[in-house]
Amino acid sequence: MKPVFMLQVFLISIGLFLLPFTAFGIDTETEKKADTGTISSDIPEMCDGCLHVFLTEKMGYTDNFYNSDAYKDDDFIILGNPGIWFMLPGETKRLSMSPTSPITPGGAMYGNYRSGNFDRMQAYLFYSPEFESYGHHTEENTINQMAEGLFNYRFSGGLAIGASNQFVHAYDERGTGDFYFETNKFNTNLLRVNMSYPVTDKTDLRMKYDHYYVDYTADRNNYRDRADNGATLSVFHKLFGETSIFGEYEFVRLSYDERNENDSDEHHFFGGIQWDASEKSTASIKAGWQIKDFEETDDQEDNFFLEILLNYEITPKSSINLAGVRRLAESDTIANNYSLYHTVSATYAQTIADKISGNIQMYLTDNEYKRFDTVVSVVEERDDTFYGVTASLDYAFTTWLSAGVEYSYKQCDSNLSNFDYTTNIVMFQLDISL
């Protein structure tokens, strides 16, 4: 663990060395414009605040390293998370792209209809490694990585084209899947090409193509490797103000490298409503039907789909975020063909005093594993329900330096008792951002 710890100390030293410099847009004028998020799209000032660096250092303790009540073992944790991001036009807030998951058909966990405010052009790049170290389980020390980028361009006639890419090197949360005592590392990549065109003043036509691949590094997980190709056609119509309704059709083909009996074609028929008042107040509700056709067996499954996303600024000092989805998902166990996946999370953020802020997040996830009749049909179908709450408190010493403490509680209730667990984690955090 010592070389990783020394690297983290070195990264902190670099961050402290850079603090006096303002070449990354941390100046008086930038801070005055921080409330709006967008610094400027004028050509002379287009790159004011384009480049940002950050460093997050966490140290803490977990009472259940493997997320398993059957084999409970504690440990100390050190996380070093440096990063750099670039935006053009410059902004004070990093662009929010949809997270991806290996169990989601097509990759993206949520529909992402907003790509930020831009007039003619938008460019975004982000890279961040995470150095993960443990006091006792040093064999599990690892480096996670995330890199993403986006480019959008709008022509004078209103036609907009764009492309984005998100690469993730990480691992499944311990306590899930078949090999829940192992670190199941994977590489995923989502490439997206999109286009939108204003048919009328109130109606937009949007199309996108996605290519997503999942590649697990250990041979024991080869049955999960696959490539997804998807195409989507959407029509948005503005009703009034910043409120629009939309209809959408999405096709996704999932092709497994080895487990060809799980190859499938998915047809998604959705409708919804979107409210886009500002950067801090947005909402969308999408509902419809998801049909999954398995190619080799001619089996079919269809189910109701629902997605809810809400970001709302209650007051200048408080906000709430809500995200939820119900959908058919890919299985992370070899005994099942797919799962019915539900998750909902809510986060409340509050500025308590001039330099003190806090937030609390709660989530509930249920994963019902499904399969068609096979030789293992005598095995009881698995149903995992996860609960969690995280509370944090932060103190801002300056605009670029803050510290905080965080507590997390996680619990899994499964109909198969060997997957049950409760976990408590306490972390202390230091943030440097320029």
Side-chain angles (χ1 to χ4, degrees):
M1 186 175 72
K2 187 176 294 185
V4 177
F5 180 76
M6 291 176 64
L7 177 59
Q8 292 168 352
V9 172
F10 172 73
L11 290 170
I12 292 176
S13 302
I14 293 296
L16 293 173
F17 174 75
L18 290 172
L19 294 180
F21 297 91
T22 60
F24 301 104
I26 306 298
D27 54 26
T28 304
E29 190 64 21
T30 299
E31 292 177 3
K32 288 179 181 178
K33 298 175 182 179
D35 290 340
T36 63
T38 301
I39 296 175
S40 177
S41 59
D42 298 328
I43 297 299
E45 301 179 1
M46 205 172 192
C47 205
D48 183 14
C50 286
L51 190 61
H52 304 261
V53 295
F54 66 88
L55 173 64
T56 299
E57 186 77 12
K58 292 184 177 182
M59 301 180 67
Y61 168 83
T62 176
D63 68 350
N64 196 350
F65 178 82
Y66 290 110
N67 287 336
S68 171
D69 285 348
Y71 185 56
K72 206 163 187 176
D73 196 9
D74 63 353
D75 209 341
F76 293 96
I77 310 168
I78 298 178
L79 300 176
N81 186 202
I84 185 169
W85 60 279
F86 169 88
M87 280 198 71
L88 187 68
E91 296 217 1
T92 59
K93 185 178 180 181
R94 185 166 72 87
L95 194 66
S96 177
M97 294 176 65
S98 174
T100 57
S101 168
I103 69 170
T104 304
M109 292 180 63
Y110 299 101
N112 188 9
Y113 300 118
R114 307 178 71 252
S115 58
N117 296 324
F118 72 100
D119 294 325
R120 179 57 60 90
M121 186 191 72
Q122 181 185 48
Y124 163 71
L125 291 171
F126 171 85
Y127 174 69
S128 178
E130 182 181 59
F131 301 88
E132 198 169 308
S133 306
Y134 300 99
H136 305 309
H137 300 83
T138 55
E139 73 282 358
E140 301 290 356
N141 292 354
T142 188
I143 301 175
N144 304 312
Q145 298 185 69
M146 179 175 175
E148 60 184 16
L150 174 146
F151 180 80
N152 286 320
Y153 186 82
R154 194 187 311 279
F155 295 90
S156 56
L159 173 67
I161 59 173
S164 63
N165 197 84
Q166 184 184 90
F167 171 81
V168 175
H169 173 73
Y171 60 88
D172 294 330
E173 184 170 2
R174 296 180 181 92
T176 63
D178 282 326
F179 307 100
Y180 52 96
F181 286 134
E182 308 284 350
T183 301
N184 297 311
K185 298 180 182 180
F186 60 78
N187 297 312
T188 63
N189 194 85
L190 175 60
L191 170 66
R192 173 171 293 176
V193 180
N194 56 272
M195 182 192 78
S196 67
Y197 181 74
V199 181
T200 69
D201 290 341
K202 292 189 174 183
T203 304
D204 287 352
L205 179 67
R206 305 183 187 184
M207 293 180 284
K208 66 180 176 73
Y209 165 77
D210 291 340
H211 176 74
Y212 180 69
Y213 76 76
V214 179
D215 179 27
Y216 278 81
T217 58
D219 290 344
R220 64 178 178 270
N221 289 305
N222 283 352
Y223 71 94
R224 297 189 63 188
D225 295 347
R226 72 176 199 273
D228 301 349
N229 289 280
T232 306
L233 175 65
S234 309
V235 179
F236 280 71
H237 180 75
K238 183 175 290 187
L239 293 178
F240 50 84
E242 301 301 326
T243 303
S244 301
I245 57 173
F246 62 90
E248 181 174 287
Y249 168 71
E250 182 178 32
F251 170 79
V252 182
R253 170 160 289 175
L254 298 96
S255 302
Y256 281 82
D257 292 357
E258 294 186 2
R259 200 178 181 191
N260 301 123
E261 68 270 19
N262 276 0
D263 290 353
S264 64
D265 291 340
E266 292 202 5
H267 304 271
H268 306 159
F269 302 90
F270 302 139
I273 186 168
Q274 177 176 313
W275 179 62
D276 196 1
S278 69
E279 285 289 330
K280 296 182 179 180
S281 295
T282 64
S284 69
I285 300 175
K286 182 167 74 171
W289 213 251
Q290 186 178 4
I291 301 171
K292 188 178 187 68
D293 290 320
F294 289 87
E295 294 183 7
E296 284 201 355
T297 61
D298 292 329
D299 291 311
Q300 184 183 91
E301 176 63 26
D302 57 90
N303 220 301
F304 177 68
F305 176 97
L306 177 65
E307 177 185 287
I308 299 174
L309 297 172
L310 169 68
N311 302 297
Y312 184 66
E313 185 180 53
I314 304 170
T315 70
K317 293 187 176 182
S318 62
S319 64
I320 186 169
N321 297 329
L322 178 68
V325 66
R326 168 197 165 94
R327 70 178 312 145
L328 298 176
E330 298 305 289
S331 175
D332 58 3
T333 71
I334 199 167
N336 300 278
N337 303 105
Y338 65 99
S339 68
L340 180 59
Y341 180 81
H342 314 69
T343 187
V344 61
S345 65
T347 302
Y348 176 76
Q350 176 72 51
T351 300
I352 301 170
D354 187 36
K355 294 179 178 292
I356 303 174
S357 62
N359 70 65
I360 183 168
Q361 180 187 52
M362 296 175 287
Y363 70 86
L364 168 64
T365 299
D366 185 70
N367 206 5
E368 300 177 30
Y369 293 88
K370 306 289 185 179
R371 67 171 168 271
F372 302 109
D373 291 335
T374 67
V375 294
V376 294
S377 60
V378 294
V379 180
E380 185 178 2
E381 289 188 347
R382 180 174 159 187
D383 188 348
D384 296 343
T385 303
F386 301 88
Y387 312 87
V389 59
T390 298
S392 64
L393 193 65
D394 296 285
Y395 183 85
F397 297 98
T398 68
T399 56
W400 44 262
L401 178 64
S402 65
V405 61
E406 178 182 279
Y407 167 73
S408 297
Y409 172 83
K410 300 188 294 183
Q411 178 180 341
C412 176
D413 288 332
S414 176
N415 62 328
L416 304 181
S417 59
N418 54 310
F419 294 104
D420 290 347
Y421 70 80
T422 58
T423 301
N424 295 275
I425 302 174
V426 178
M427 302 292 289
F428 297 93
Q429 177 172 320
L430 178 69
D431 287 297
I432 302 170
S433 59
L434 299 173

